Amino acid sequence: MHAAVAPGSTVSVTNKDSVTHTLTATGGQFDTGDIGAGQTKTFTAPSKAGTYDYICNIHQYMMGTIVVS
C-alpha cells in the first residue's frame, strides 16, 4: 500500500482485519504499536519529506510505503 501525507501531520490507522497488526517504519521513524481488530491508532508523520517504508511487526510480509511531501 502507498499513502501520501504532509510533514508532521497526524496519521490515523484503522485495523479492519480480525487479527492484531502494527504499522512500523523500517527505519524507526514511527510505530503504532499493536492495533487490535477494529481499533484505530494515530502517529505523527516524519517532519522531513521523503519515502518511508513500513511493515507489520507481527506479519512482516505485510508492507507498504508512506510518502511525506
Side-chain angles (χ1 to χ4, degrees), residues 20-45:
T20 301
H21 294 289
T22 75
L23 193 143
T24 306
T26 58
Q29 298 87 350
F30 50 85
D31 184 1
T32 60
D34 289 353
I35 309 170
Q39 290 185 329
T40 299
K41 292 229 179 156
T42 61
F43 67 93
T44 302

Side-chain angles (χ1 to χ4, degrees), residues 8-20:
S9 63
T10 298
V11 179
S12 295
V13 180
T14 301
N15 179 357
K16 295 183 179 182
D17 201 356
S18 60
V19 298
T20 301

